[in-house]
Amino acid sequence: MTVRNPVHALRSRVGHQVFLKIAGPDGDAARLRVHDTPGPRWFPPGSPIRRVHADVTTFVGGLRALLLQSLHPLAMAGVAGHSGYRGDPWGRLARTSTFLAFTTFGAESDALRMVQMVRDTHEKVRGTAPDGREYDAGDPHLLTWVHIAEADSFLAAHQRYGERPLTPEQADEYVAQSGEVARRLGAVDVPTTTAELATALDAYRPELHATAAALDTARFLLREPPLPQVARPPYALLASGAVALLPAWARSELDLDRWTTRSFGPTAGALATHGIRWLMGSADRRASTVDDQSSARDLDETSSR
């Protein structure tokens, strides 16, 4: 008779609860479909995009991306008017994480389906911003901004808090691979290297400033998170790590530039990611399991021909 270690059991149970909070109530079914559906994938095992998106640093990077993206008034108007980020923040997070999972690890057919679903949703997100300008979520210029902020954030979080930071060459490959998905969504002039990513971010700088909606979003995400009290201290560490990774001008725009965050935010972010990684397991271990499954699938398909 095997006696299960109670610490391991608790770790597994809590880690699974964290996973379902991020992936949504259908997370287990989606995970099975992502990894068990046969067919070619967009990105091969071991590729930089798989390494980055498998790591728990995406939690930090995702929060940083939301804060950075909010600084474009038209992008923020679309979010405030259509996404329900206050009414259903966890639903929005689950949809985003599901999209990343399918496009990074899933079969090509499912990845294409997810891209089309997002494009269809963007067709409905149109309106007028508080400053009188019209916005359209399908606008290639806005799509490129959303992608740039996301790619820069995931990469920054991985390089600062990841298990195995990418080499400069691998970081360039990550930018190029994430750009492939962005182009399928309709983005244009997508960066393919870290240098191009930095240049693109600077090019958007004149368009960026904190609107009332952006400040409200930052307040909601950082000071009023929809979490039980027991979960707020570890979330505060994660949030501090995300804010510390923002460019200084972005922290200033969002009224988040505090010496405490600059001084202790990186340590807080490292503690948060170490804790989540302990609960959910090593990204390398998870990725190797997926890669082994993919290799077995490929061998079976080859043998059947």
Side-chain angles (χ1 to χ4, degrees), residues 186-300:
V188 295
D189 300 325
V190 178
T192 59
T193 66
T194 55
E196 290 180 3
L197 182 63
T199 298
L201 190 60
D202 287 342
Y204 275 88
R205 180 68 186 89
E207 302 176 39
L208 309 177
H209 67 271
T211 60
L215 294 172
D216 181 66
T217 297
R219 184 165 50 249
F220 175 70
L221 292 174
L222 303 177
R223 299 170 190 167
E224 308 167 20
L227 292 167
Q229 289 298 326
V230 68
R232 291 196 175 194
Y235 178 84
L237 294 176
L238 185 150
S240 182
V243 172
L245 286 179
L246 283 169
W249 60 264
R251 289 198 303 269
S252 180
E253 282 284 346
L254 292 168
D255 193 25
L256 299 173
D257 198 21
R258 309 282 189 274
W259 73 269
T260 50
T261 300
R262 293 194 303 271
S263 300
F264 303 114
T267 301
L271 287 172
T273 50
H274 279 307
I276 299 171
R277 191 176 291 122
W278 181 81
L279 288 172
M280 301 189 70
S282 162
D284 284 345
R285 178 171 60 78
R286 295 198 306 274
S288 65
T289 299
V290 172
D291 292 347
D292 288 344
Q293 292 171 343
S294 298
S295 297
R297 237 188 347 259
D298 293 344
L299 181 60
D300 289 342

Side-chain angles (χ1 to χ4, degrees), residues 89-125:
W90 293 112
R92 183 167 185 257
L93 178 60
R95 290 188 291 274
T96 300
S97 66
T98 299
F99 177 83
L100 282 176
F102 275 107
T103 54
T104 303
F105 304 100
E108 182 178 22
S109 56
D110 283 334
L112 288 169
R113 178 175 57 86
M114 292 300 299
V115 166
Q116 189 58 52
M117 287 173 61
V118 172
R119 292 185 71 119
D120 290 345
T121 298
H122 286 168
E123 286 293 320
K124 306 170 187 175
V125 181

Side-chain angles (χ1 to χ4, degrees), residues 19-74:
F19 166 75
L20 291 179
K21 196 70 172 175
I22 301 300
D26 298 327
D28 287 329
R31 179 161 58 182
L32 285 174
R33 184 175 180 92
V34 166
H35 300 307
D36 291 351
T37 300
R41 266 66 178 163
W42 281 347
F43 307 108
S47 57
I49 193 170
R50 285 189 171 217
R51 282 177 53 185
V52 172
H53 292 175
D55 201 352
V56 299
T57 53
T58 54
F59 297 169
V60 178
L63 181 54
R64 180 191 188 266
L66 289 175
L67 294 169
L68 192 56
Q69 289 165 351
S70 76
L71 289 172
H72 196 295
L74 298 184

